[in-house]
């Protein structure tokens, strides 16, 4: 039991970090982040071994890096399959609804991870704006968060010179997770 828990933790950590890197690569390209930044270069270096060969068969669609997104989905699918295997779930004799549920869980995991990426990017950006607004990470965080924070900043006045947009974004992200994403994930998990 303890060994299975350790293996599940290791699987979650390694595949989770790889998925995070793939999603970051996808969203950094989608938002036209400055790729000469050290963070962007690290993400590209960590994921190139898998993304570059797949790009030969699955080219990008405009700004959408379809290879990175597909690999992130497959990584989450393999993660869920691995966890079920470690928990001795009978995959080979499972009912038909189990496999669409696995696909749904992988997709929901990507949505959840995207929300966390955005939420933590906003939080780190807010903290850095007070501590060191000219850090090399600032342009990357700005490009990741700008598509959703810019419209809010136009509508929300500053309160005593303080931008409350990060607070509103984090509350909205938590509500989205709490009311939509996690209940849907729980519904799919009940099939296992």
């Amino acid at each position: 039991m303890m060994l299975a828990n350790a293996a599940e933790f290791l699987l979650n950590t390694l595949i989770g970090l790889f998925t995070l890197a793939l999603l970051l690569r996808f969203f950094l390209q989608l938002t036209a982040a400055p790729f000469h930044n050290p963070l962007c270069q690290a993400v590209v270096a960590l994921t190139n071994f898998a993304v570059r060969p797949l790009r030969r068969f699955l080219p990008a669609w405009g700004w959408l890096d379809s290879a990175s997104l597909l690999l992130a989905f497959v990584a989450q699918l393999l993660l869920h399959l691995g966890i079920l295997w470690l928990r001795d779930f009978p995959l080979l004799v499972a009912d038909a609804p189990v496999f669409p549920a696995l696909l749904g869980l992988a997709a929901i995991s990507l949505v959840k991870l995207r929300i966390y990426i955005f939420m933590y990017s906003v939080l780190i950006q807010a903290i850095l704006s007070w501590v060191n607004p000219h850090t090399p990470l600032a342009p990357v965080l700005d490009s990741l968060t700008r598509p959703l924070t810019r419209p809010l900043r136009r509508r929300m006045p500053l309160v005593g010179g303080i931008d409350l947009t990060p607070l509103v974004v984090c509350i909205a992200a938590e509500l989205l997770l709490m009311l939509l994403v996690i209940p849907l994930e729980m519904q799919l998990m009940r099939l296992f």
Side-chain angles (χ1 to χ4, degrees):
M1 182 67 170
M2 204 163 53
L3 193 57
N5 286 342
E8 189 175 324
F9 166 75
L10 196 57
L11 194 65
N12 256 319
T13 302
L14 294 176
I15 294 180
L17 288 173
F18 183 61
T19 306
L20 176 66
L22 288 166
L23 274 181
L24 272 173
R25 182 178 179 139
F26 174 79
F27 285 110
L28 288 170
Q29 184 172 342
L30 182 68
T31 59
F35 269 96
H36 296 292
N37 187 286
L39 174 67
C40 296
Q41 293 297 316
V43 167
V44 168
L46 286 171
T47 57
N48 254 352
F49 79 94
V51 173
R52 288 182 98 191
L54 186 60
R55 279 195 178 155
R56 291 186 203 136
F57 308 104
L58 189 63
W61 297 331
W63 285 95
L64 293 178
D65 183 9
S66 50
S68 295
L69 191 58
L70 178 65
L71 283 170
F73 179 78
V74 169
Q76 284 301 298
L77 184 61
L78 290 175
L79 173 64
H80 289 294
L81 281 169
I83 289 172
L84 288 175
W85 179 73
L86 286 171
R87 293 179 181 172
D88 292 327
F89 185 81
L91 281 170
L92 297 177
V93 293
D95 292 338
V98 167
F99 298 105
L102 275 171
L103 295 174
L105 275 174
I108 288 172
S109 295
L110 290 183
V111 169
K112 191 164 65 167
L113 192 53
R114 170 56 182 138
I115 292 170
Y116 283 130
I117 288 171
F118 181 70
M119 188 170 61
Y120 287 117
S121 295
V122 167
L123 281 174
I124 292 168
Q125 185 179 27
I127 291 168
L128 287 177
S129 73
W130 287 71
V131 178
N132 184 5
H134 304 293
T135 182
L137 194 57
V140 174
L141 292 172
D142 183 55
S143 67
L144 280 174
T145 61
R146 188 179 333 119
L148 294 175
T149 56
R150 183 186 294 163
L152 276 175
R153 283 193 176 114
R154 283 190 216 136
R155 290 179 178 83
M156 288 185 58
L158 296 177
V159 178
I162 297 175
D163 181 16
L164 295 180
T165 305
L167 180 64
V168 171
V169 165
C170 288
I171 290 171
E174 282 294 333
L175 283 173
L176 184 64
L177 285 168
M178 204 181 325
L179 298 175
L180 293 175
V181 177
I182 293 175
L184 187 57
E185 182 180 43
M186 297 303 277
Q187 287 286 14
L188 291 173
M189 292 292 283
R190 287 188 184 139
L191 294 172
F192 305 104

